[in-house]
Amino acid sequence: MSLLEIIQSKQVDIYISLFFTLLGLVLGVIVDSIRSGNPSPANQQGHTFNLTVNNIINPPDSKPSQTQDDQGLFVLIAILTAIFGITYLFFRSEILNTLSFITIFSISLWAGGTLHSLYKGYFAGGAWFVSLAFSSAFCVLALFLVSKAFSPDYAPENFPYSQAIINKYGVTGLESYFNAQDFRWFIFHLFGVFFLFQAKIRMTLSSIYFLTAGKLSLATNPREPWIVKRTRKYANLSTNILYVSLLSVGAYYFISGNFFMWFEYTFPVQLKSFIEVVLHGRG
């Protein structure tokens, strides 16, 4: 399938994504304008503030936060992962599209507010532009990965119809259309989708943090909302770039089926060759 045919087949999704992008940018500017129109007590004294990314991530008067116990979160993730596979099969299109639109909208909402604050001089520093560029690139990459989830490079013959099959015949009907190797492929594919979800959720939480915490640094005695405290750990730019990039690369290879093909066919040969060399040498 050519690039033009792929674009034409995804026209509706592209238009919806563009709509959420523009809506988020416009609302971001409006929200930032409203907040800027209500200056904090410190700003009423005539001072000029140029907030950098580090000012917002690490407020000057904030105390180091204690390490949070995430055991409850890990248990929740384990429970959700157990039912994620079946849910994904039943609602694959709806899940992928909805999460994409939410991610694009939240990033665009933050981007609109950030661009407005940069224009007004509230924010300063090259890190803001790096963050904007990375977020924009991730939105494009996320759409590409979602398209791969619908049309992997290597997939079972009946995978494009898996959602229709499971909705018509249920889980027990899958064995009539998929063999054991197909189910192994699906497990790897599911890991890739999980990596993609992790990347999208991290970028969304990072956008929510900056969207809600941006103007708090202007106040003399800021009182942080609960959402700010819970999302601060997702606000580090360098960590986001590294973490999201690794997740996205992993998501591509697992979703597209490339990793499965290597693991299923190439890896056994390479492993056997390696063992032969270790036991008997290259002689």
Side-chain angles (χ1 to χ4, degrees):
M1 183 179 292
S2 67
L3 179 60
L4 180 59
E5 291 174 335
I6 294 175
I7 293 175
Q8 289 176 342
S9 65
K10 297 293 182 181
Q11 277 185 346
V12 175
D13 293 338
I14 292 173
Y15 291 149
I16 296 176
S17 300
L18 181 60
F19 167 76
F20 277 103
T21 300
L22 296 176
L23 179 62
L25 287 171
V26 172
L27 288 180
V29 172
I30 294 174
V31 170
D32 194 75
S33 300
I34 294 174
R35 291 189 303 180
S36 300
N38 298 308
S40 64
N43 202 19
Q44 290 177 352
Q45 303 299 323
H47 300 295
T48 301
F49 294 90
N50 297 111
L51 296 178
T52 64
V53 171
N54 287 333
N55 291 144
I56 297 179
I57 298 177
N58 303 303
D61 297 329
S62 65
K63 297 179 181 179
S65 59
Q66 298 179 351
T67 303
Q68 299 176 351
D69 185 4
D70 288 331
Q71 290 182 353
L73 180 61
F74 291 148
V75 173
L76 178 61
I77 291 176
I79 295 174
L80 292 177
T81 303
I83 62 174
F84 179 70
I86 297 177
T87 304
Y88 175 71
L89 280 176
F90 269 101
F91 307 103
R92 182 163 59 99
S93 299
E94 293 81 358
I95 290 174
L96 290 173
N97 287 327
T98 300
L99 187 61
S100 293
F101 300 149
I102 292 175
T103 303
I104 292 173
F105 177 74
S106 61
I107 291 177
S108 300
L109 186 65
W110 161 76
T114 300
L115 288 171
H116 181 261
S117 292
L118 286 169
Y119 175 75
K120 291 293 185 179
Y122 296 120
F123 292 171
W128 288 112
F129 294 99
V130 174
S131 183
L132 285 169
F134 178 72
S135 298
S136 301
F138 176 76
C139 285
V140 176
L141 177 61
L143 291 176
F144 170 74
L145 291 175
V146 168
S147 70
K148 279 296 176 185
F150 284 113
S151 303
D153 295 335
Y154 304 97
E157 182 180 359
N158 292 317
F159 175 73
Y161 317 106
S162 58
Q163 185 173 359
I165 291 172
I166 195 173
N167 276 279
K168 185 174 182 178
Y169 302 107
V171 177
T172 57
L174 293 176
E175 62 181 358
S176 301
Y177 296 89
F178 301 97
N179 56 34
Q181 187 182 53
D182 295 339
F183 283 110
R184 290 200 300 274
W185 176 92
F186 177 72
I187 291 175
F188 284 100
H189 176 81
L190 196 63
F191 272 113
V193 174
F194 180 75
F195 291 157
L196 176 59
F197 277 24
Q198 286 289 307
K200 286 187 174 185
I201 290 171
R202 186 177 187 91
M203 291 299 294
T204 300
L205 292 176
S206 175
S207 301
I208 290 174
Y209 173 79
F210 284 110
L211 185 66
T212 56
K215 290 297 185 294
L216 289 177
S217 298
L218 294 176
T220 53
N221 295 307
R223 184 175 181 180
E224 293 185 336
W226 173 85
I227 189 66
V228 172
K229 296 178 181 179
R230 295 297 298 178
T231 56
R232 176 175 284 116
K233 61 182 178 181
Y234 303 104
N236 187 282
L237 177 59
S238 58
T239 302
N240 282 345
I241 291 177
L242 176 62
Y243 192 72
V244 171
S245 297
L246 290 176
L247 284 173
S248 299
V249 171
Y252 168 74
Y253 281 102
F254 277 81
I255 287 175
S256 64
N258 285 281
F259 183 85
F260 173 80
M261 296 297 291
W262 171 82
F263 184 82
E264 191 78 4
Y265 298 104
T266 307
F267 175 69
V269 176
Q270 293 176 338
L271 180 61
K272 182 180 179 180
S273 176
F274 174 75
I275 294 175
E276 289 290 331
V277 171
V278 171
L279 295 179
H280 308 291
R282 300 180 184 274

